[in-house]
Amino acid sequence: MDVTEQAPARSGRGAARLFRDILIILAVALLASFLIKTFLVRSFFIPSGSMENTLMVDDRILVNQLAPDLVPLANGDVVVFEDPGGWLPAPEVNTNPFETVLSAIGLAATDPNNHLIKRVIGLPGDVVACCDPFGHLTVNGVPIEEPYIALPTETSAAAPATFDVVVPEGMIWVMGDNRYNSKDSVYHREEAAGGFVPVANVVGTAFVINWPTNRWTFLGNYPFVFREAVASAG
């Protein structure tokens, strides 16, 4: 009789311990996810075609947030940055609290309404110009051959406008890979900031496409493209 009466109590205590352990595991997992998103890796999705064909609409990417504070930026990096002012329309407010919570803990791709993604062409001190007689950009006087750009048919110029800029300290010059469909530094060069983006606005460098699965690939910064230009920096 004693054994029969105590069994439910033990069973109840076991279920309570199991429930407690599950809550602890979930709390630890959510905390780890939050810390990873805050300090290491963040997820974004691509809303436009400005980086085609490197990045396609609705691709999901992972961004290394150790750059630029701990990992220096390099020419050719694909960077996510906050709108430096006037590059995007006013952001829409996310009214879905469930999506907001998931995004905050890193379980959903971040709303891109206030973020942009472009490729770093010029770092502080670099001289970036377009174009040489063959349509190439030049960086520090060195023509660069860019395998990642998409140009319209019958177009050879690597940018839709001519320019010659020196990148100020604390700034970067960024361009989309889909050069004629990208509101990048070239597009904004007549504005007060000259089209430059503060390094402080950089969230991090994109390093992998992680969704959809058939698009899974690492994103490189093509160091061979900029090797001579970097060596010529002075």
Side-chain angles (χ1 to χ4, degrees):
M1 188 62 148
D2 291 341
V3 173
T4 304
E5 291 174 347
Q6 292 175 7
R10 286 199 300 271
S11 176
R13 287 196 297 272
R17 282 196 295 269
L18 177 62
F19 182 69
R20 180 199 64 193
D21 291 345
I22 290 174
L23 287 180
I24 291 173
I25 291 170
L26 286 175
V28 170
L30 292 175
L31 177 61
S33 177
F34 175 77
L35 291 175
I36 288 172
K37 178 192 171 181
T38 302
F39 298 107
L40 296 178
V41 176
R42 195 165 168 183
S43 176
F44 288 86
F45 70 89
I46 305 302
S48 75
S50 70
M51 284 294 291
E52 293 179 353
N53 294 314
T54 302
L55 298 171
M56 307 302 288
V57 174
D58 289 335
D59 278 353
R60 266 59 173 174
I61 58 170
L62 295 181
V63 171
N64 173 17
Q65 295 189 107
L66 295 179
D69 294 333
L70 297 179
V71 179
L73 294 178
N75 300 83
D77 280 343
V78 176
V79 294
V80 171
F81 56 95
E82 294 179 356
D83 184 357
W87 286 38
L88 291 171
E92 299 177 4
V93 178
N94 187 352
T95 57
N96 187 329
F98 183 66
E99 287 186 2
T100 301
V101 171
L102 289 180
S103 177
I105 60 177
L107 297 180
T110 301
D111 188 336
N113 281 338
N114 195 42
H115 295 83
L116 301 100
I117 185 165
K118 308 291 179 191
R119 191 178 298 275
V120 177
I121 303 300
L123 293 172
D126 284 340
V127 179
V128 185
C130 183
C131 290
D132 74 358
F134 300 98
H136 300 114
L137 290 185
T138 63
V139 179
N140 301 322
V142 178
I144 59 173
E145 193 79 42
E146 302 176 277
Y148 44 78
I149 62 174
L151 299 177
T153 306
E154 307 295 331
T155 301
S156 60
T162 58
F163 59 88
D164 190 336
V165 299
V166 179
V167 184
E169 188 65 30
M171 298 287 188
I172 53 176
W173 180 267
V174 298
M175 299 176 70
D177 288 356
N178 190 359
R179 291 286 164 79
Y180 285 73
N181 187 30
S182 177
K183 294 183 178 180
D184 51 24
S185 288
V186 178
Y187 183 88
H188 293 281
R189 71 192 186 285
E190 301 298 334
E191 297 174 5
F196 301 107
V197 175
V199 173
N201 283 41
V202 175
V203 174
T205 55
F207 67 93
V208 70
I209 301 171
N210 66 324
W211 189 264
T213 54
N214 65 334
R215 293 271 301 148
W216 193 95
T217 187
F218 284 108
L219 297 170
N221 60 5
Y222 296 86
F224 62 89
V225 170
F226 297 92
R227 187 172 292 119
E228 289 186 37
V230 171
S232 299

